[in-house]
Amino acid sequence: MTTGVRRRMGVEERRQQLIGVALELFSNRSPDDVSIDEIAAAAGISRPLVYHYFPGKLSLYEAALQRAADDLAERFMEPHEGPLGARLLRVTGRFLGFVDEHGPGFSALMRGGPAVGPSSSPTTNALIDSVRQAAYEQILAHLGVTDPPARLDLVVRSWVSLAESTALIWLDGRRIPRAELERQLVHDFAALAAVSAAYDDEMAGLLGTVLADEPADGPFADLLARLAALAPRAALPS
C-alpha cells in the first residue's frame, strides 16, 4: 500500500493560493466577518502559517483587493471594433457580471470598506482610484480621444461614477434584471453625452460621429426609439 505525499508549495505559489482563498471568502461575505482562522482552514494550513506569508489580515485583505481590482479593470478592456454602443454593452455586461459574482468584495473595494480597522488604508484608496482611472481611460480610448475637452472629461468621469453607484445600489436586492441594467447603463452614457452636446459644439460633433456608426438595432438607437415613444406623453396639452 502506498501513501500519497502532499506536494509542498513554493512561497509565491502559497501566497497566491491564500490570496485566492481570501478573495473567494471576501466575495461571499463581508470582509469584516471573515477570520484568519477561516482563511487558514479553507487553504488547508495552520493559522501561524498564514502569518508566515502575510503579517496580518490587512495585508492579506489588500492583496486580495489588488487581485480583484486587476480583474475588474480588465473587464473594461474591449477591442476597438464595431459600434460604440455594442462595445459599451459588452463592457457593462462584464462589469455587472463581476459585481454579481463578487458582491461583498466589490462593495468593500469601491467603498474602501475596512477589514480590520475604522477607516480605509491608503492602499485600498489607491486601488479604488486605479479601477476608476482604468475605466476612464478605456472609455476615452473607445472614443479615440487622448486629450479630452472639459465637457467630455466630465461626461466620462460622471458615467464611471454612475456605473459604480448604480452597481452598489443594485446589489441591495438585485430588484432590476441584470440584462436590463446593463442596457440602462449604456443608455445613461448616451444621455449624459447628449445633454453635454446640447451645450457644446465639440461634444455635438463627437456625438454625431458616434451615432452615425450605430446600427438601427443597437443600444443607442434603442434609446432614441424609447425617447421618441415618450414624446407624445410628455407634450403639453394645447
Side-chain angles (χ1 to χ4, degrees):
M1 180 176 179
T2 59
T3 302
V5 178
R6 180 181 295 177
R7 182 177 65 86
R8 183 171 181 175
M9 291 186 181
V11 173
E12 185 56 28
E13 187 180 6
R14 178 66 78 184
R15 279 179 54 85
Q16 293 305 315
Q17 183 216 15
L18 285 170
I19 291 170
V21 166
L23 181 58
E24 180 66 23
L25 291 171
F26 293 153
S27 294
N28 292 287
R29 290 161 52 203
S30 170
D32 288 326
D33 297 332
V34 177
S35 69
I36 288 291
D37 287 332
E38 288 180 272
I39 294 170
I45 61 176
S46 66
R47 176 189 175 97
L49 194 54
V50 175
Y51 286 109
H52 175 73
Y53 293 99
F54 293 93
K57 183 175 176 180
L58 178 60
S59 62
L60 180 52
Y61 174 70
E62 290 176 345
L65 286 187
Q66 178 68 69
R67 182 179 291 184
D70 291 343
D71 184 1
L72 183 53
E74 287 178 3
R75 308 249 175 158
F76 285 94
M77 298 181 69
E78 170 74 20
H80 298 173
E81 301 171 357
L84 179 63
R87 285 183 256 163
L88 285 180
L89 190 58
R90 289 191 291 271
V91 166
T92 56
R94 289 194 299 271
F95 168 66
L96 285 178
F98 178 95
V99 172
D100 207 5
E101 296 162 20
H102 305 285
F106 175 80
S107 296
L109 173 63
M110 303 316 290
R111 289 183 172 132
V116 292
S119 61
S120 55
S121 72
T123 299
T124 59
N125 288 332
L127 287 173
I128 296 164
D129 289 340
S130 72
V131 172
R132 291 169 178 154
Q133 185 64 22
Y136 168 80
E137 291 174 359
Q138 283 296 319
I139 299 305
L140 287 181
H142 283 292
L143 292 169
V145 177
T146 55
D147 184 20
R151 289 188 186 276
L152 179 59
D153 179 80
L154 180 61
V155 165
V156 176
R157 291 193 186 279
S158 295
W159 184 75
V160 170
S161 178
L162 176 64
E164 174 189 329
S165 59
T166 297
L168 288 170
I169 294 169
W170 178 72
L171 278 173
D172 185 15
R174 294 174 170 84
R175 293 180 295 171
I176 299 174
R178 198 177 100 190
E180 290 183 17
L181 194 61
E182 292 166 8
R183 185 165 287 263
Q184 181 179 316
L185 281 173
V186 176
H187 289 172
D188 288 337
F189 180 85
L192 286 169
V195 170
S196 184
Y199 289 87
D200 183 82
D201 289 342
E202 189 171 9
M203 279 297 301
L206 177 62
L207 184 60
T209 300
V210 167
L211 293 178
D213 293 332
E214 289 296 312
D217 60 349
F220 288 172
D222 177 44
L223 173 61
L224 292 175
R226 289 173 183 269
L227 291 175
L230 288 174
R233 299 184 226 167
L236 293 175
S238 56

